[in-house]
Amino acid sequence: MIPTLNLNYETKWGIFAIGLLCGFTALYDFLFHFNVTYIFDQTTRNIYCKIPGLYTRQIITFDEAFILRIEEDCLLHYALSKKQNKYGNSYAISQSFGSNKKSRRRQETFETEVLSAIESFIHHLKVHTHY
């Protein structure tokens, strides 16, 4: 015999609803936050957003790409957006950076290695296309 809790009908549905909400939240984070990859395609001069196993779509061209520095709730992160509508739809390209020592080191590493490479890649290609 399996031991079970003797809960009333409303309590069972309340626990079920909380579990379902937690499951959907975890699935949403997994699909749209953890596995996002950005592809900078030199041949088409487009930036693509790729969610492995689901889809790949073009989000911005190199000519309209702008890197935003966004501060929300005292946390800083970087995002890609369009030059014409900088504060419209944007795509996060970094984790949030706090104010502690470890976060500042992660931010410095991101800015020197990743962000500078993205900027030089986009600007380098823009310069070479004018010839």
Side-chain angles (χ1 to χ4, degrees), residues 20-48:
L20 196 60
L21 181 64
C22 290
F24 280 132
T25 303
L27 182 65
Y28 178 81
D29 282 343
F30 176 73
L31 292 176
F32 297 107
H33 291 115
F34 296 136
N35 288 326
V36 175
T37 303
Y38 295 101
I39 301 168
F40 294 80
D41 190 351
Q42 230 175 338
T43 57
T44 62
R45 298 183 38 78
N46 290 321
I47 301 170
Y48 296 92

Side-chain angles (χ1 to χ4, degrees), residues 5-25:
L5 293 173
N6 190 9
L7 301 173
N8 65 16
Y9 182 77
E10 290 83 16
T11 306
K12 287 180 186 177
W13 278 104
I15 293 172
F16 179 72
I18 290 171
L20 196 60
L21 181 64
C22 290
F24 280 132
T25 303

Side-chain angles (χ1 to χ4, degrees), residues 59-79:
I59 54 172
I60 302 173
T61 64
F62 285 168
D63 295 330
E64 59 187 10
F66 183 79
I67 297 175
L68 265 176
R69 181 182 168 113
I70 300 173
E71 288 189 44
E72 294 177 334
D73 299 329
C74 297
L75 296 174
L76 168 75
H77 74 273
Y78 291 93

Side-chain angles (χ1 to χ4, degrees), residues 79-122:
L80 282 172
S81 75
K82 294 184 178 184
K83 287 180 186 175
Q84 296 86 1
N85 189 7
K86 293 177 186 169
Y87 299 102
N89 196 10
S90 63
Y91 305 93
I93 57 173
S94 75
Q95 297 175 339
S96 295
F97 303 110
S99 59
N100 62 21
K101 193 174 188 178
K102 187 176 178 180
S103 270
R104 278 186 260 130
R105 274 188 272 140
R106 283 190 309 116
Q107 179 182 352
E108 287 175 16
T109 303
F110 178 81
E111 288 173 347
T112 56
E113 294 177 10
V114 179
L115 194 61
S116 62
I118 290 172
E119 288 176 336
S120 67
F121 185 76
I122 291 172

